[in-house]
Amino acid sequence: MAEITTLRAAVSELIQPGDTVALEGFTHLIPFEAGAEIIRQSIRDLTLVRLTPDLIADQLIGVGAVRELIFSWGGNPGVGSLHRLRDAIENAWPNPLLIEEHSHAGLVNRYTAGASGLPFATLRAYVGTSLMGQHGNIKTIACPFTGEELAAVPALNPDVAVVHAQQADRMGNVMIWGISGVQKEAILASRRSLVTVEEIVDELIPRPTSLQIPSFAIDAVALVPHGAWPSYASGYYDRDNDFYINWDAISRDRQTFNSWIKRHIYEAHHD
């Protein structure tokens, strides 16, 4: 059963140096405040998994928290590059960064295999692409029924999944609506899980496009209003497009980035 606790306590208990951490949320419900708390607690040497690493990944990479990035697309949506990610890859600043790149379908299949208790997944999406042979986690396998050559990817079982959702009830059951991304698969594939929520309610009332994740699949739930800002939380607040635009200038310069992190993360505590 999920424990309802504070963000600070949950991150301290569930995320350790060296862990593989999935931070999922697709276009909205991105767990920004949980990412900020990881930075505040100076947790390092992480393998970060994210389908679409954007500003949350840029911040974690820029402070040196990430050793390896497993991803399928990276950028500042609608704006351009992630400059802290580029600096880490091109100049090893603030430390070298390993990368493992997949297609969206490939990484989703890795999560799905992990959530299903299977050792690997097969798909056609890689055949004929330049991603084949880029790293050891994309191989080929012959279909035992037709002989067709397929791509195969190993199951992904992160140490911790961290997602944001709109609501939880007082038992720790969680409800998400709008674009759900791979939050469910990430939680079911991971050994431990933390869900931050906009609101804790007495009863979860199903609505169109909603999915519910039961308390028994979650380790901790933390009440964190606006925990997805500057992304949006459907039904609660809109995306802060200006922030995404401004991040381009903030993240281009190392000193400007460090000053922003000091002021807006290290000096902005959230329980």
Side-chain angles (χ1 to χ4, degrees):
M1 298 290 289
E3 177 187 5
I4 297 179
T5 183
T6 66
L7 176 60
R8 184 181 300 174
V11 168
S12 176
E13 179 179 350
L14 296 176
I15 304 176
Q16 304 301 319
D19 277 350
T20 296
V21 181
L23 292 173
E24 288 299 350
F26 193 77
T27 77
H28 78 143
L29 299 177
I30 299 170
F32 270 97
E33 190 54 41
E37 185 60 29
I38 292 171
I39 294 172
R40 280 193 286 268
Q41 294 193 21
S42 299
I43 302 172
R44 296 289 186 266
D45 198 33
L46 299 175
T47 296
L48 174 62
V49 188
R50 180 156 167 72
L51 203 65
T52 54
D54 43 22
L55 275 56
I56 190 172
D58 218 28
Q59 292 169 10
L60 286 159
I61 291 167
V63 300
V66 180
R67 179 184 66 85
E68 181 176 7
L69 177 66
I70 301 173
F71 72 109
S72 55
W73 176 90
N76 183 342
V79 179
S81 291
L82 296 175
H83 299 295
R84 294 301 92 223
L85 170 61
R86 289 183 66 100
D87 205 7
I89 292 172
E90 295 174 357
N91 303 306
W93 191 93
N95 49 247
L97 180 69
L98 300 172
I99 59 170
E100 179 183 312
E101 185 177 1
H102 289 271
S103 67
H104 276 343
L107 190 49
V108 169
N109 271 272
R110 289 201 67 193
Y111 273 127
T112 302
S116 302
L118 296 171
F120 66 94
T122 59
L123 65 158
R124 291 190 175 98
Y126 287 115
V127 176
T129 73
S130 61
L131 287 171
M132 297 294 294
Q134 292 297 313
H135 51 77
N137 280 335
I138 306 172
K139 296 185 182 297
T140 58
I141 188 170
C143 172
F145 302 103
T146 66
E148 179 185 1
E149 184 179 272
L150 300 169
V153 290
L156 180 61
N157 294 106
D159 295 298
V160 191
V162 182
V163 306
H164 190 70
Q166 284 98 336
Q167 293 180 347
D169 66 18
R170 301 190 189 283
M171 297 294 292
N173 301 296
V174 166
M175 188 165 74
I176 294 172
W177 64 87
I179 300 171
S180 59
V182 290
Q183 287 101 316
K184 176 186 68 175
E185 290 81 0
I187 287 174
L188 295 177
S190 297
R191 297 173 180 87
R192 304 183 296 278
S193 57
L194 162 62
V195 182
T196 58
V197 295
E198 291 294 323
E199 186 178 13
I200 294 177
V201 298
D202 292 327
E203 181 183 3
L204 298 175
I205 301 173
R207 62 185 69 205
T209 76
S210 68
L211 69 88
Q212 293 190 27
I213 302 172
S215 178
F216 66 76
I218 300 167
D219 288 279
V221 170
L223 176 63
V224 186
H226 277 80
W229 180 89
S231 76
Y232 72 99
S234 183
Y236 285 80
Y237 47 89
D238 294 331
R239 186 180 192 265
D240 188 343
N241 292 318
D242 288 342
F243 185 89
Y244 283 80
I245 293 169
N246 293 336
W247 184 255
D248 188 74
I250 293 168
S251 63
R252 277 181 184 271
D253 178 75
R254 295 173 182 176
Q255 184 174 347
T256 304
F257 168 80
N258 284 334
S259 296
W260 187 93
I261 290 289
K262 180 177 184 294
R263 179 179 179 185
H264 294 281
I265 292 185
Y266 286 120
E267 296 176 355
H269 296 287
H270 199 308
D271 289 327

